[in-house]
Amino acid sequence: MTKSITYSDAGVSIDAANAAVEKIKRLARSTFNARTLSEIGTFGGMFDGAFPGMQSPVLVASADGVGTKLKVAFMTGVHDTVGRDLVNHCTNDILVQGARPLFFLDYVATGVLSPETIVSVVDGVSRGCRENGCVLLGGETAEMPGFYAEGEYDVAGFIVGVVDRGKVIDGGRVAEGDLLLALPSAGLHTNGYSLARKLFFEVAGYGADTHLEALGTTVGEALLRPHLSYLRPLEGLLDTGVIKALAHITGGGLVENVPRVLPEGTAVEIERGSWPVPPVFGVMREIGNVAESEMHRTFNMGVGMVVICSAADAAAVEKHLGGLGEKSYTVGRVVAGARDVRLV
């Protein structure tokens, strides 16, 4: 007689998934607020959609992942930081249009589910949500045997925020003479990791636990530095009208992200050396003899967010940021051109 085959025989453990879900529910509840209308475990998450304080509320949504930074998490066994990275990256993407986050959904997929690993990832997600005033409203944990390498997983995040239509930041007011203020990154954030891993682990032959004097830490620790959220530093400026445009510096670096928020007929000149570049970028450039143009197209080079404002408002923006303990650097200006970036 043929043995009775179970889902577990196919590589999926319902019991392990249920154990993880119970812990995830507690993490999600820690992010709930008065607008949360459902519990984790329902088929859909419900959120109060009334915005009486806004004349014309506009929902802003975005989705992203953390790329091959996950490979560094696998190498080091540190999994909570990538969840926080995920929330911060998505928060910055909608912040660019002036939106504040409302709720977040996550997706975690793996070959064989390790409850401890998944819970660690979601712990980072919930921490990021709390820091950004965002509800972890729901998500999905998928166990797909044979689809992922042993011990590996993938994550994606989905965020929804809101902004009053009259306060949307769209770059339409950007004009010649406006200044660019750079807010520093903590490192690579979540971009350029395919090249970074090739340089550190293949070309140089380092391990994640290799300590480099130039970095002041191990390679793994340097590469896992968090993707910062700029919501708290910029929130007090969103409704003032002083911010003409924001650019989240992700894949493509300054060269490709700043033009995304420029109106026709404008370009920017960015002055080399006008902001401090973290050592990790210099180490990578030296390892692979990487051209400056390639570095700027691949990495953020130490800039996480760019604020464009009038020259008359720049001092007020810097004062606001400084009052919160945030550094900023005047790195360039808007000129006439065809929506490009010139490094001068």
Side-chain angles (χ1 to χ4, degrees):
M1 183 179 293
T2 302
K3 174 189 173 185
S4 177
I5 302 298
T6 67
Y7 209 3
S8 180
D9 292 321
V12 177
S13 173
I14 295 176
D15 291 337
N18 288 341
V21 166
E22 286 306 310
K23 294 179 181 178
I24 288 170
K25 284 181 179 179
R26 292 195 291 272
L27 292 170
R29 286 192 194 103
S30 72
T31 71
F32 285 5
N33 58 30
R35 302 177 72 93
T36 312
L37 304 179
S38 59
E39 275 285 344
I40 294 294
T42 58
F43 285 95
M46 296 192 295
F47 193 86
D48 184 355
F51 303 98
M54 293 187 177
Q55 293 184 350
S56 183
V58 175
L59 297 179
V60 183
S62 187
D64 221 309
V66 296
T68 61
K69 187 173 187 176
L70 289 175
K71 287 284 191 179
V72 185
F74 304 154
M75 295 172 71
T76 59
V78 177
H79 303 286
D80 61 327
T81 59
V82 291
R84 185 181 175 208
D85 290 336
L86 189 63
V87 179
N88 288 346
H89 186 131
C90 289
T91 296
N92 289 339
D93 279 349
I94 64 170
L95 175 64
V96 163
Q97 289 163 292
R100 294 171 173 87
L102 296 172
F103 58 84
F104 191 84
L105 305 171
D106 64 355
Y107 174 80
V108 187
T110 186
V112 178
L113 189 144
S114 164
E116 295 79 12
T117 299
I118 300 303
V119 169
S120 184
V121 173
V122 179
D123 180 39
V125 171
S126 66
R127 185 151 44 99
C129 284
R130 291 192 299 272
E131 291 170 354
N132 288 287
C134 184
V135 172
L136 178 54
L137 194 60
E140 166 72 352
T141 300
E143 188 173 11
M144 301 188 289
F147 203 82
Y148 294 93
E150 183 178 353
E152 297 194 353
Y153 57 84
D154 196 12
V155 295
F158 311 86
I159 198 166
V160 174
V162 65
V163 59
D164 212 339
R165 187 183 297 271
K167 296 177 181 176
V168 170
I169 299 172
D170 61 8
R173 295 185 296 121
V174 170
E176 289 182 57
D178 288 343
L179 297 183
L180 277 68
L181 305 182
L183 278 65
S185 72
L188 279 68
H189 281 186
T190 50
N191 296 98
Y193 277 83
S194 294
L195 177 55
R197 290 186 302 108
K198 182 176 185 63
L199 293 171
F200 279 115
F201 305 131
E202 293 182 31
V203 178
Y206 297 138
D209 58 353
T210 301
H211 188 282
L212 296 182
E213 195 67 34
L215 297 178
T217 185
T218 66
V219 173
E221 289 169 340
L223 293 181
L224 283 179
R225 284 191 172 129
H227 191 130
L228 301 179
S229 166
Y230 298 97
L231 173 63
R232 294 303 183 216
L234 294 175
E235 188 170 27
L237 297 171
L238 296 181
D239 298 330
T240 65
V242 300
I243 297 177
K244 292 188 175 184
L246 292 169
H248 184 199
I249 309 305
T250 57
L254 289 161
V255 175
E256 294 187 6
N257 283 288
V258 174
R260 295 168 66 180
V261 300
L262 296 178
E264 292 293 337
T266 63
V268 299
E269 290 182 346
I270 294 178
E271 184 181 350
R272 291 179 174 89
S274 57
W275 72 93
V277 178
V280 65
F281 299 105
V283 171
M284 288 190 295
R285 184 176 182 182
E286 185 176 341
I287 288 173
N289 191 28
V290 184
E292 182 186 36
S293 59
E294 186 69 11
M295 292 292 295
H296 279 276
R297 285 182 60 225
T298 306
F299 302 114
N300 65 49
M301 299 303 290
V303 176
M305 183 73 78
V306 167
V307 178
I308 302 180
C309 64
S310 70
D313 289 328
V317 173
E318 291 175 331
K319 182 179 179 180
H320 169 83
L321 294 171
L324 297 173
E326 300 288 338
K327 295 180 179 178
S328 61
Y329 305 91
T330 301
V331 298
R333 63 190 182 96
V334 178
V335 297
R339 299 181 69 198
D340 60 0
V341 171
R342 308 162 195 168
L343 297 172
V344 298

